[in-house]
Amino acid sequence: MLQEDNAQREGKIYGGKVTPLVLVICLVAATGGLIFGYDVGVTAGSTSSNEFLRKFFPSVYIKMKCEMDDEDGYCRFDSQMLTLFTSSIYMAAMVAPFFASSVTTAYGRKASMILGGLVFFVGSFLGSAAMNIEMLIIGRLLLGVGVGFGNQSVPVYLSEMAPTMLRGALNIFFQMAITIGILVSSLVHYSTANLEGDLGWRFPLGFAAILGLIMALGSLLLPDTPNSLLTKGQNGKAKELLQKIRATEEVDEEFQDLFKASEAAKKVENPWKNITQRRHRPQLVLCILIPFFQQLTGINVVMFYAPVLFKTLGFGDRAALMSAVLTGIVNVLATLVAILLVDKLGRRFLFFQGAIQMIICQTTVAVMIGLRYGSTGEGFFTTTEANMALFLICAYVAAFAWSWGPLGWLVPSEICPLEIRSVGQAINVSLNMTLTFAINQSFLSMLCYMKFGLFFFFVLFQIMMTIFIYFFVPETRGVPIEDMKRVWKAHWFWQDFVPDY
């Protein structure tokens, strides 16, 4: 590991500085995360709305209201149609990145971001106007296309625009936007919970359309990245933009590295075949396993079903929504910690610390639920125990928000050379969405049958992912994005896969 750290410190140092322009550019681009985050939160709020459940999922509503004596408390919300609504967005989001990759490669990152925002706008409109379950699901599928395009293009855009010394912090703006989107949706749901009739759920779903427009119009005003401009043969424009965002004329070394990477990328006829070659094995493995482990932390279970989870733990309707708002605030604040520390302490430190904290918190919550609710789901928390469970869930969310949350998007977007960067990110996003779909489609049934043991299920994967990071993920802090090859050459395992040329 010491060899890897030395390799990281002895790399190239490009000229230039952090400018207000590049900060504004990255902030605007990161708003693409708003649509993803808002949808995560708005889904959670909708599934706890009585009016929404009564209109589209009457069986769940009846089961929840009747609370039959022989009803297993863990199974009260178990409904495949309800989970299909929750996870249908990911059916589209796990396919869309493959199309987004082609658009990103051919027309640039900016084009994918604009298209993603517009499709998300249409999907939000359909969802808020839904009169039946079919219309609701179609709207969700369009939202998935928008999320897929945004998640594929925005992290790559941020990594390419950001200066090396702050690439981690600026890339995490994307995760910050996700957390803000989750918090905004929780606040919107809490504010509209007492509106009469369908307005209580239609307004939050419709509000998402505004965020889609913000993403599309904001992206329209942004320049494309120097890497994209070089790929399209606009060399002069690319160098001029690089000088502008670095605030210096001395960009020759960085520009030459970008140019070489661009020329190598142009020679690749099939990037999908190229990424399977032995020399790209480190990037392929990480682009598969990082999103795999990120989703198996169980975070989306908590964020999607927070109000439902808190209801199951005995919180009232308003208290459950307020608790979801609290976890949203913790999510945002903890992501700020990641922005401040990721380029100082490095990626590996945050990976380790976050995982250990998640293991402790989730194990403790599982034990508490097991002792109080047993295998029947019937029981109650005292006020002190409920507050303790809320604190532990918030601590768990905080740990994810400054570790696996942002790093799950950052690391895959910065490790791939230009020739496979778009497809690498497409694999990352598609697998992320596939796992999210599978987990959310099965969560309520798993909760019904595995009871409190479900939390131990996720703890097992948290232990596995910590071992994986220790042995197979090198430190990438401070390494120029087009100079990442030396990191693999210094790694004890991956060095044999990477050629010297």
Side-chain angles (χ1 to χ4, degrees):
M1 299 305 173
L2 179 60
Q3 184 183 10
E4 295 168 25
D5 292 340
N6 289 337
Q8 181 264 324
R9 287 195 297 269
E10 294 169 2
K12 297 179 181 179
I13 300 177
Y14 296 137
K17 58 184 180 181
V18 181
T19 64
L21 175 62
V22 78
L23 289 175
V24 170
I25 287 174
C26 289
L27 278 172
V28 173
T31 58
L34 283 173
I35 65 173
F36 183 32
Y38 186 85
D39 185 77
V40 170
V42 81
T43 302
S46 297
T47 54
S48 67
S49 167
N50 290 334
E51 291 297 328
F52 180 82
L53 292 175
R54 183 160 54 188
K55 184 175 184 65
F56 295 109
F57 308 100
S59 62
V60 176
Y61 177 78
I62 293 171
K63 186 189 298 185
M64 181 181 68
K65 287 302 180 183
C66 289
E67 296 185 344
M68 297 168 59
D69 293 337
D70 60 346
E71 179 68 43
D72 189 329
Y74 291 109
C75 303
R76 194 164 294 151
F77 291 91
D78 185 22
S79 165
Q80 285 302 305
M81 284 303 295
L82 179 59
T83 51
L84 179 61
F85 160 75
T86 302
S87 54
S88 58
I89 183 174
Y90 299 104
M91 295 173 65
M94 61 190 181
V95 176
F98 296 106
F99 295 96
S101 173
S102 300
V103 173
T104 300
T105 301
Y107 302 103
R109 287 71 169 123
K110 176 179 175 178
S112 286
M113 291 156 61
I114 295 171
L115 184 58
L118 291 176
V119 175
F120 191 88
F121 169 80
V122 175
S124 301
F125 177 80
L126 280 178
S128 64
M131 300 304 296
N132 51 56
I133 189 66
E134 291 79 13
M135 190 173 177
L136 191 69
I137 297 299
I138 291 173
R140 295 285 293 171
L141 291 174
L142 289 176
L143 292 178
V145 174
V147 167
F149 269 75
N151 287 5
Q152 191 278 335
S153 54
V154 172
V156 172
Y157 183 94
L158 294 171
S159 288
E160 292 181 347
M161 292 296 279
T164 298
M165 73 287 277
L166 280 181
R167 186 177 65 243
L170 295 182
N171 187 285
I172 292 176
F173 280 2
F174 177 70
Q175 178 69 16
M176 173 60 75
I178 292 176
T179 63
I180 291 174
I182 294 172
L183 176 58
V184 168
S185 66
S186 297
L187 290 170
V188 169
H189 265 294
Y190 185 76
S191 301
T192 59
N194 290 330
L195 292 180
E196 295 182 2
D198 291 348
L199 281 179
W201 62 267
R202 289 192 187 276
F203 181 85
L205 291 181
F207 187 81
I210 298 175
L211 302 182
L213 277 181
I214 290 175
M215 177 183 173
L217 296 178
S219 300
L220 193 63
L221 300 175
L222 296 176
D224 220 328
T225 68
N227 310 66
S228 291
L229 294 174
L230 283 169
T231 301
K232 291 185 284 189
Q234 301 176 19
N235 297 5
K237 191 174 180 180
K239 186 170 185 179
E240 182 181 337
L241 175 61
L242 190 61
Q243 291 171 332
K244 192 174 182 180
I245 61 178
R246 300 291 183 258
T248 179
E249 298 292 318
E250 304 299 325
V251 297
D252 288 345
E253 185 178 14
E254 182 175 5
F255 181 76
Q256 283 303 314
D257 285 344
L258 296 180
F259 179 78
K260 291 176 183 177
S262 174
E263 291 301 300
K266 290 177 182 177
K267 295 177 183 178
V268 176
E269 295 182 2
N270 188 341
W272 291 101
K273 182 179 180 180
N274 195 37
I275 199 173
T276 63
Q277 295 178 1
R278 179 180 171 84
R279 63 194 178 98
H280 294 315
R281 195 63 47 77
Q283 295 91 339
L284 178 61
V285 170
L286 265 63
C287 284
I288 291 174
L289 289 184
I290 286 180
F292 174 81
F293 284 124
Q294 185 195 47
Q295 289 309 308
L296 286 169
T297 60
I299 186 62
N300 274 343
V301 167
V302 174
M303 301 312 296
F304 268 114
Y305 294 104
V308 170
L309 181 62
F310 289 127
K311 274 188 176 183
T312 301
L313 295 180
F315 290 78
D317 290 354
R318 295 284 287 180
L321 285 175
M322 192 64 242
S323 299
V325 170
L326 181 59
T327 57
I329 293 173
V330 169
N331 204 9
V332 172
L333 295 178
T335 305
L336 279 174
V337 174
I339 290 176
L340 294 174
L341 297 182
V342 67
D343 290 310
K344 294 180 181 179
L345 300 180
R347 283 67 161 151
R348 282 169 58 86
F349 176 85
L350 293 180
F351 268 133
F352 290 137
Q353 193 285 328
I356 292 170
Q357 185 169 321
M358 284 190 287
I359 290 169
I360 293 172
C361 292
Q362 209 158 15
T363 300
T364 308
V365 169
V367 171
M368 290 177 64
I369 295 175
L371 290 175
R372 278 298 186 181
Y373 289 82
S375 60
T376 65
E378 295 301 324
F380 65 93
F381 274 156
T382 64
T383 301
T384 300
E385 290 170 338
N387 289 335
M388 176 60 72
L390 178 59
F391 169 79
L392 289 168
I393 290 174
C394 286
Y396 163 82
V397 169
F400 179 86
W402 62 52
S403 62
W404 276 87
L407 297 179
W409 298 109
L410 167 61
V411 174
S413 73
E414 68 180 358
I415 61 174
C416 293
L418 183 61
E419 62 201 79
I420 60 167
R421 190 168 298 148
S422 289
V423 298
Q425 185 65 7
I427 291 172
N428 175 41
V429 176
S430 181
L431 280 174
N432 191 300
M433 298 300 134
T434 301
L435 264 294
T436 304
F437 170 78
I439 291 172
N440 285 287
Q441 185 65 23
S442 61
F443 166 67
L444 292 178
S445 294
M446 290 172 70
L447 179 63
C448 179
Y449 292 103
M450 295 179 68
K451 321 298 182 185
F452 61 90
L454 177 60
F455 294 93
F456 290 118
F457 171 82
F458 291 119
V459 168
L460 176 63
F461 281 99
Q462 290 164 16
I463 294 171
M464 292 171 58
M465 73 192 193
T466 304
I467 296 172
F468 167 72
I469 292 295
Y470 182 80
F471 285 107
F472 299 108
V473 180
E475 181 57 67
T476 55
R477 172 175 60 99
V479 181
I481 194 170
E482 302 301 351
D483 193 32
M484 202 64 68
K485 177 180 175 180
R486 62 187 173 82
V487 172
W488 309 116
K489 289 300 296 180
H491 191 269
W492 72 274
F493 182 79
W494 298 122
Q495 60 183 349
D496 294 334
F497 292 85
V498 183
D500 294 326
Y501 60 86

